[in-house]
Amino acid sequence: MAHGSGGKAMKDLIDAIFVEQFDNDELAKLEDQARISIADLSKIGDRLAFTTDSYVVYPLFFAGGDIGKLAVAGTVNDLAVGGATPLYLTCSLILEEGLAVVDLRRVIVSMAQTARACGVSIVTGDTKVVERGSADKMFINTAGVGVIKVGTAISAAAARAGDVILVNGSIGDHGAAIVASRGDLAIESDIESDCRPLSDLISNMLAVCPDIRSMRDATRGGIATVLNEFASASKLCFKLDERSVPLKSEVRGICEILGLDPFYLANEGKIVVVAPASAAQSLLQCMRAHPDGRDAAIIGEVLPAPESMVIVKTIFGGEKILDMLVGDQLPRIC
């Protein structure tokens, strides 16, 4: 409990782990806030993007990632899908009394490595320690700031009839990996989470197609939730071809065993993109040329009607409505 008291034990923890690993000039000043030059931000774009998310995934470490990598990648992706260049993050931790310091250090090292890989700095934060039993080892909140370049206008409502729908790779990997990592279902699988920052891929995509209409990372609720949000905002119909949607055989198998629908399964490194049909092939080539988009595919089209609806053409040739997720297929997935 002393590590969250604000005294010497807490300062020692901050110096020994956070300042050492995150290693940037702003954090090293140890002020109560990071001070960012407005003039420097305005050189990049004309709008500030600001987001926050909290991460409570169980277990802390899973195939392909951990809660720290997830906390950085998730917030970076929330900025990037709006067309922003991610720049600065905060890191707030709620730690349960008794958490092993070696596990805390492992998570913070992972956060630092992920932040460096995508060019963002973790510049301020907070640490609280709660009594044993009041939390499950560790919860993380990250907030992020980025800048949107002049002329970028991505939104859920911007889709037009005739547009195409793309995804940057196989769906459901994160959800399947978490199920396998929990071990209580005795499922053996080599599937790894797709957890990763996508800011570099998205930057390349915007260079090729600056007029991308809509873009969102398909986390909780999967691509079904994202497409329903797009359909509701644009009042258009989003029609998928199930045969075109990338899906790994391991993920399909887990879904069949547990009765899960991969369209609703969580992802942490997948984006759903709506773009003009005229740019579809050049955008697809750009995505496939990047390691985070090598399995990209065009998975559907935008139609004028029926309004605000998502429809899937199944592998058997029929059609079904893909509604917004009701409830939660898997709790604490991110």
Side-chain angles (χ1 to χ4, degrees):
M1 293 296 293
H3 287 109
S5 66
K8 185 177 184 306
M10 181 174 173
K11 185 178 186 310
D12 290 345
L13 181 74
I14 290 172
D15 289 343
I17 298 183
F18 304 131
V19 175
E20 176 185 310
Q21 293 299 327
F22 294 158
D23 188 25
N24 61 77
D25 292 341
E26 283 301 323
L27 183 63
K29 295 172 186 172
L30 295 180
E31 298 284 358
D32 282 348
Q33 71 292 126
R35 302 171 186 181
I36 310 299
S37 165
I38 295 174
D40 288 344
L41 296 179
S42 64
K43 294 175 184 174
I44 301 173
D46 64 347
R47 286 155 292 164
L48 193 69
F50 182 34
T51 189
T52 185
D53 208 342
S54 297
Y55 299 87
V56 298
V57 66
Y58 168 77
L60 298 181
F61 306 98
F62 47 84
D66 56 75
I67 191 173
K69 182 179 181 181
L70 190 64
V72 173
T75 297
V76 164
N77 291 344
D78 283 347
L79 292 170
V81 294
T85 301
L87 297 172
Y88 301 105
L89 300 185
T90 70
C91 169
S92 292
L93 301 169
I94 296 176
L95 309 177
E96 184 185 26
E97 181 185 23
L99 174 71
V101 173
V102 66
D103 286 342
L104 174 61
R105 179 178 289 278
R106 184 178 168 190
V107 168
I108 298 304
V109 167
S110 179
M111 292 185 75
Q113 291 173 341
T114 308
R116 280 194 291 273
C118 55
V120 301
S121 298
I122 299 172
V123 293
T124 191
D126 182 55
T127 304
K128 296 289 190 302
V129 180
V130 298
E131 296 86 350
R132 194 184 301 268
S134 298
D136 190 357
K137 298 182 180 178
M138 178 187 300
F139 299 148
I140 301 178
N141 173 272
T142 46
V145 170
V147 176
I148 301 174
K149 291 181 180 178
V150 177
T152 301
I154 299 171
S155 83
R160 301 175 190 174
D163 286 347
V164 295
I165 309 164
L166 302 97
V167 67
N168 64 314
S170 56
I171 64 170
D173 294 1
H174 178 72
I178 293 295
V179 169
S181 296
R182 285 179 178 169
D184 47 2
L185 296 174
I187 293 176
E188 293 186 7
S189 171
D190 295 329
I191 192 74
E192 290 192 349
S193 168
D194 55 353
C195 175
R196 70 194 61 187
L198 298 171
S199 50
D200 190 58
L201 169 66
I202 292 171
S203 176
N204 290 357
M205 292 167 58
L206 286 170
V208 169
C209 182
D211 53 351
I212 286 175
R213 316 273 200 214
S214 311
M215 181 161 48
R216 194 161 288 180
D217 51 338
T219 54
R220 281 181 302 168
I223 69 168
T225 296
V226 170
L227 290 170
N228 271 282
E229 290 169 349
F230 289 170
S232 178
S234 65
K235 301 193 182 306
L236 295 169
C237 174
F238 285 65
K239 187 173 183 179
L240 298 182
D241 184 343
E242 187 174 12
R243 294 170 301 179
S244 302
V245 179
L247 180 65
K248 292 176 179 170
S249 58
E250 300 96 320
V251 176
R252 186 188 302 278
I254 287 176
C255 287
E256 290 175 351
I257 292 171
L258 300 179
L260 302 173
D261 187 333
F263 287 113
Y264 295 99
L265 212 51
N267 312 269
E268 289 295 340
K270 296 300 182 310
I271 45 173
V272 179
V273 182
V274 180
S278 59
Q281 290 304 319
S282 58
L283 190 56
L284 187 63
Q285 289 177 9
C286 168
M287 295 168 77
R288 287 178 173 173
H290 193 284
D292 297 334
R294 63 168 62 97
D295 297 321
I298 297 172
I299 60 173
E301 59 184 337
V302 182
L303 303 174
E307 184 178 303
S308 304
M309 191 170 286
V310 180
I311 296 174
V312 179
K313 181 180 178 182
T314 71
I315 57 176
F316 303 108
E319 292 186 350
K320 65 178 182 181
I321 296 173
L322 202 61
D323 280 328
M324 185 75 80
L325 178 65
V326 177
D328 197 353
Q329 284 200 126
L330 298 166
R332 293 186 59 188
I333 205 76
C334 61

